[in-house]
Amino acid sequence: MKKSVIQDQKVDDNQQRKKNEENLKIPLNLYRSYTRITQQSLLEEIAPMMSQIEFLKKNCPEGTKIEEFTAQACSYFKYEQFSRGQIVFNYGEYGDKVYLILFGEVGVFVSKSQEEIANDREVIEMFKSNLNPFEEEVLDYETVFKKKKRAQDLQMELLLASQKNPFEINNMYFKEGICLYKKVFQFYSGQAFGDMALSSDKPRTASILVLSDELHVLTMNRQDFKSVGERSIKEKNQTFEYFLSIFVGVSKFIVTKFIQYFQKIEFAPQTILWKEGDEPKFFLLIVRGRVEIYRSYDEDALHGKHKEPSIFQSKIKPKKKVTLSQLSDNSFVGEAELIDNNPVRLYSCMTSDNTLAYYMESEAFNIVRKNHPDFLKILKEKSFVIRSYLQRREKYLFENIQKQDKAMEKLQYPDSTNTERVTVDELYRDTSKLNQKILRSQQKSMFTTTDIVNSNNLISKKITPQSENMFIFHKKQIELLKQKKQSQVKSNSVIPPINLQKSISQNNFALECQVLKSYRKMRFQQFQANREVCLKIKSQIGSLITTQLRSSSHDSSCPLATNEFGKRIKTLQEFYYAKTFITTNR
């Protein structure tokens, strides 16, 4: 089975346990002999060996040598011994000691969920229903649950019952033959336990049962622990306050119960936490740092092209990495698949910076989700926000990529029907007034550029010299004339200034007409000097601008224009020529 990045970083328990047992042989023998060591020479002798214990490393103040601190801490320890099946302390008791294991193993037991208890009760009822009602039989716990529980779990429950028949026990651990607790974790040589209750001043959140034949521990009372383990207490309190800020509304006691399932871990940049399709084995709560969530897509799928796989395809095209989101401080990542019981990861995840996080493995999560619904509710709410964003982000990226593809296709393969040759008559022809269908044989043949020029010259010759209805104009020149007229009007304080960036309103129609009349007269003078006119017609621009101004009953010299004039004047591109009709009441 493939290991997760968490499992790769975790130390092998068996190897570490053996290493610690070998390292702690001398301190164990000395403490068994003296129970409590106060001689400075003996403390200095065991300090190098005891300083390898993680519990003492964490509590060593900054600027203090670890061996000096260890020698001082070891003077507060007291030796104690337990046997297999003995309970070190019970759930809910007041914590007055912290324990450091020199040799042996203990199991951590927490209460089962109501669902698990109901399942055990159903198994017992089913077994009883198959018994002979006329014979009284004493139920055997191992026989009842042999095929319903793992052998390891069954042995732990029997050990918790001190090898007695659970059906004959009625205490905090067994009721009517049902075990109310289960093992979730274990500690071995070189590890410490029981410090959580001393740090938070809360009752014990679990029971501790001895699993090995013998257990040799060093204990330190609450008062000594608070003086020696000041750094550890401060760190524990900071961790506790941090989780309270994340799980708002959850009681402090509940937080102390599930906080023990989180463990701290650090990752270097560019560390792949998991890949799409991997089995979800843990999730993270990012304390500090940044992670990147991404997926890998086939090029064809990314561009909306679905192709059937071909047997002749020699190479598999590499997939393209698409980043969907980046998550940073106080964010959960990887919890969605565990909540939904999804067997595989939906996205890949990689660290972008140095990242400090808390992780919870899938087995611990299954325990917490059953025992702490408040925790699960908040986790689901936070997960829904992230999941919704990822879905929207993915949809947005697909749509944008496919829109870009369509735009590129239009640039590479322009539509040939966008450009066509037309005559002036065809441009101004109102097809809605034609009652009969025009056959293709009746249509005029397409004009060449030369034909269009000649046709336009003939039209221009028919216009009398007194007519001012044919003129040439350009967008930039019209704007210059507008500005000139505007300055003149402003000096006379007759019409307010014109803002060229705004649409033409009724208040400046008169000014526009004056501009056109002035410009038309100027162009008409040029027209008389040179009668050769060329119209460059481009159907891509749309249609030529035909402006018909309304008559004004107030001033016949300044006719009013329609709003269509203002809209069309903005669409002029470069130079082109147009026929414009102006009707006035003269």
Side-chain angles (χ1 to χ4, degrees):
M1 184 181 292
K2 184 180 177 182
K3 288 186 177 181
S4 67
V5 65
I6 299 292
Q7 292 170 333
D8 288 337
Q9 292 197 25
K10 288 175 67 175
V11 180
D12 184 83
D13 290 339
N14 290 328
Q15 293 181 3
Q16 188 64 39
R17 184 181 68 251
K18 291 178 181 179
K19 181 180 177 181
N20 291 344
E21 287 176 355
E22 186 67 26
N23 182 54
L24 295 173
K25 277 185 177 180
I26 294 177
L28 174 60
N29 291 331
L30 287 174
Y31 273 105
R32 291 182 72 174
S33 302
Y34 292 96
T35 305
R36 195 165 192 165
I37 299 176
T38 56
Q39 296 180 17
Q40 189 63 29
S41 59
L42 294 178
L43 292 173
E44 291 176 356
E45 181 182 352
I46 64 174
M49 292 166 276
M50 294 290 288
S51 62
Q52 301 301 316
I53 296 175
E54 192 66 27
F55 171 76
L56 295 174
K57 287 182 182 179
K58 286 183 178 180
N59 286 284
C60 181
E62 295 182 3
T64 305
K65 291 183 179 180
I66 181 64
E67 291 187 5
E68 292 180 1
F69 171 75
T70 302
Q72 179 188 1
C74 287
S75 63
Y76 294 102
F77 282 123
K78 181 182 177 182
Y79 170 77
E80 292 186 28
Q81 182 179 356
F82 298 88
S83 57
R84 178 178 172 83
Q86 190 173 352
I87 294 175
V88 179
F89 57 74
N90 296 298
Y91 169 86
E93 289 181 348
Y94 176 76
D96 59 347
K97 293 179 184 178
V98 61
Y99 298 80
L100 176 63
I101 303 176
L102 295 177
F103 182 85
E105 291 183 7
V106 297
V108 181
F109 284 74
V110 298
S111 58
K112 290 182 179 180
S113 66
Q114 293 299 321
E115 182 183 354
E116 291 172 312
I117 294 173
N119 290 338
D120 286 355
R121 183 176 288 107
E122 185 178 347
V123 171
I124 295 173
E125 295 297 330
M126 184 67 68
F127 186 85
K128 287 182 177 180
S129 64
N130 295 327
L131 295 177
N132 188 344
F134 300 101
E135 295 181 5
E136 291 187 3
E137 294 187 23
V138 178
L139 296 178
D140 180 66
Y141 193 82
E142 192 171 359
T143 304
V144 173
F145 292 100
K146 188 174 183 179
K147 295 181 180 181
K148 302 296 181 180
K149 296 184 179 183
R150 295 187 306 170
Q152 183 180 2
D153 295 338
L154 196 58
Q155 291 302 318
M156 287 297 104
E157 292 179 358
L158 289 173
L159 184 61
L160 189 61
S162 301
Q163 301 302 329
K164 297 179 182 178
N165 189 349
F167 289 100
E168 299 175 356
I169 300 174
N170 189 13
N171 55 23
M172 66 173 292
Y173 296 105
F174 291 91
K175 187 176 182 180
E176 298 176 357
I178 300 173
C179 183
L180 306 178
Y181 283 71
K182 62 181 178 181
K183 185 176 83 72
V184 295
F185 196 71
Q186 66 185 44
F187 294 104
Y188 52 80
S189 305
Q191 294 182 325
F193 62 90
D195 54 333
M196 178 64 74
L198 274 66
S199 302
S200 60
D201 291 327
K202 302 292 181 181
R204 301 287 190 186
T205 57
S207 296
I208 300 295
L209 180 70
V210 180
L211 304 181
S212 55
D213 293 336
E214 291 182 351
L215 177 68
H216 303 273
V217 297
L218 298 178
T219 62
M220 183 183 294
N221 62 38
R222 175 186 290 269
Q223 184 177 356
D224 292 339
F225 173 73
K226 287 192 173 182
S227 60
V228 173
E230 182 180 356
R231 182 179 172 185
S232 176
I233 293 173
K234 184 178 179 181
E235 184 180 346
K236 294 280 186 184
N237 288 335
Q238 288 176 348
T239 302
F240 181 68
E241 293 297 330
Y242 175 76
F243 276 93
L244 279 178
S245 66
I246 297 296
F247 296 95
V248 180
V250 181
S251 67
K252 293 183 178 181
F253 181 67
I254 296 297
V255 171
T256 58
K257 290 175 70 175
F258 69 71
I259 198 176
Q260 59 188 330
Y261 296 101
F262 282 98
Q263 300 181 54
K264 192 175 287 187
I265 192 169
E266 293 187 27
F267 298 103
Q270 307 303 313
T271 301
I272 297 177
L273 302 178
W274 61 77
K275 290 184 178 181
E276 184 180 349
D278 287 351
E279 180 186 355
K281 296 183 178 180
F282 65 94
F283 73 94
L284 297 175
L285 170 58
I286 303 170
V287 179
R288 182 178 64 254
R290 189 159 50 100
V291 300
E292 178 181 322
I293 297 177
Y294 63 93
R295 291 189 75 175
S296 298
Y297 299 93
D298 292 322
E299 285 286 347
D300 293 336
L302 198 60
H303 295 276
K305 301 174 183 177
H306 301 283
K307 293 184 178 180
E308 295 294 333
S310 174
I311 59 174
F312 302 104
Q313 190 175 354
S314 57
K315 278 186 182 179
I316 298 177
K317 293 182 180 180
K319 293 187 175 182
K320 187 175 182 180
K321 175 185 172 183
V322 178
T323 300
L324 298 175
S325 179
Q326 288 189 338
L327 301 174
S328 57
D329 301 1
N330 307 329
S331 298
F332 289 95
V333 59
E335 79 292 340
E337 293 88 350
L338 293 175
I339 291 174
D340 296 339
N341 293 318
N342 201 319
V344 295
R345 292 287 189 187
L346 302 178
Y347 307 96
S348 300
C349 186
M350 177 179 68
T351 58
S352 301
D353 301 326
N354 289 315
T355 302
L356 174 66
Y358 288 101
Y359 74 90
M360 181 185 289
E361 295 184 287
S362 56
E363 293 182 0
F365 174 75
N366 290 331
I367 295 171
V368 173
R369 76 185 302 174
K370 292 178 180 178
N371 296 332
H372 306 292
D374 293 341
F375 164 82
L376 185 64
K377 180 182 178 182
I378 294 176
L379 192 62
K380 280 183 176 180
E381 291 174 354
K382 294 180 179 292
S383 177
F384 176 77
V385 174
I386 298 173
R387 196 184 318 188
S388 300
Y389 172 77
L390 291 176
Q391 291 173 354
R392 293 196 306 271
R393 171 74 172 168
E394 190 174 16
K395 182 181 178 181
Y396 172 79
L397 288 174
F398 267 85
E399 289 177 352
N400 274 6
I401 290 172
Q402 292 171 17
K403 284 180 182 178
Q404 185 180 6
D405 290 343
K406 291 179 181 179
M408 292 300 295
E409 285 179 4
K410 288 184 178 180
L411 290 176
Q412 293 176 3
Y413 308 104
D415 190 356
S416 59
T417 60
N418 286 345
T419 304
E420 61 180 352
R421 297 176 185 175
V422 293
T423 63
V424 175
D425 292 340
E426 288 173 336
L427 281 174
Y428 289 98
R429 180 184 298 167
D430 189 359
T431 56
S432 62
K433 295 182 179 179
L434 297 177
N435 297 325
Q436 297 180 354
K437 294 183 179 179
I438 300 175
L439 301 177
R440 188 170 63 179
S441 59
Q442 297 174 348
Q443 292 180 352
K444 296 179 181 180
S445 58
M446 290 295 181
F447 281 7
T448 63
T449 305
T450 305
D451 294 335
I452 294 173
V453 172
N454 293 335
S455 176
N456 292 336
N457 285 336
L458 290 174
I459 294 172
S460 66
K461 289 178 182 179
K462 295 178 183 180
I463 301 175
T464 60
Q466 289 77 18
S467 174
E468 297 178 0
N469 289 335
M470 175 69 72
F471 61 89
I472 308 164
F473 60 91
H474 181 244
K475 179 181 179 180
K476 293 182 179 178
Q477 291 176 328
I478 288 180
E479 289 180 352
L480 290 173
L481 284 169
K482 285 181 182 179
Q483 292 175 359
K484 186 177 179 181
K485 285 288 183 181
Q486 179 181 341
S487 62
Q488 293 175 358
V489 174
K490 186 176 180 180
S491 62
N492 297 330
S493 300
V494 177
I495 300 176
I498 297 175
N499 186 356
L500 297 179
Q501 301 299 324
K502 296 182 179 180
S503 61
I504 300 173
S505 61
Q506 293 291 336
N507 295 330
N508 58 28
F509 286 154
L511 178 59
E512 293 294 340
C513 294
Q514 291 179 22
V515 171
L516 289 177
K517 286 187 66 178
S518 300
Y519 190 65
R520 184 177 62 181
K521 288 179 181 180
M522 180 183 67
R523 283 303 187 191
F524 183 68
Q525 292 173 0
Q526 296 177 358
F527 172 75
Q528 287 179 327
N530 184 10
R531 295 179 59 83
E532 298 296 328
V533 181
C534 176
L535 294 177
K536 292 183 180 180
I537 303 173
K538 296 181 180 179
S539 61
Q540 287 179 328
I541 296 176
S543 62
L544 297 179
I545 296 182
T546 302
T547 306
Q548 185 172 359
L549 302 180
R550 294 184 298 162
S551 62
S552 174
S553 59
H554 302 285
D555 189 358
S556 60
S557 62
C558 298
L560 296 175
T562 61
N563 289 336
E564 191 65 17
F565 174 83
K567 295 179 182 177
R568 293 188 179 184
I569 206 70
K570 295 180 181 179
T571 61
L572 292 174
Q573 301 179 7
E574 301 303 327
F575 280 93
Y576 62 90
Y577 305 84
K579 178 183 283 188
T580 304
F581 300 92
I582 300 178
T583 60
T584 60
N585 293 330
R586 294 185 178 179

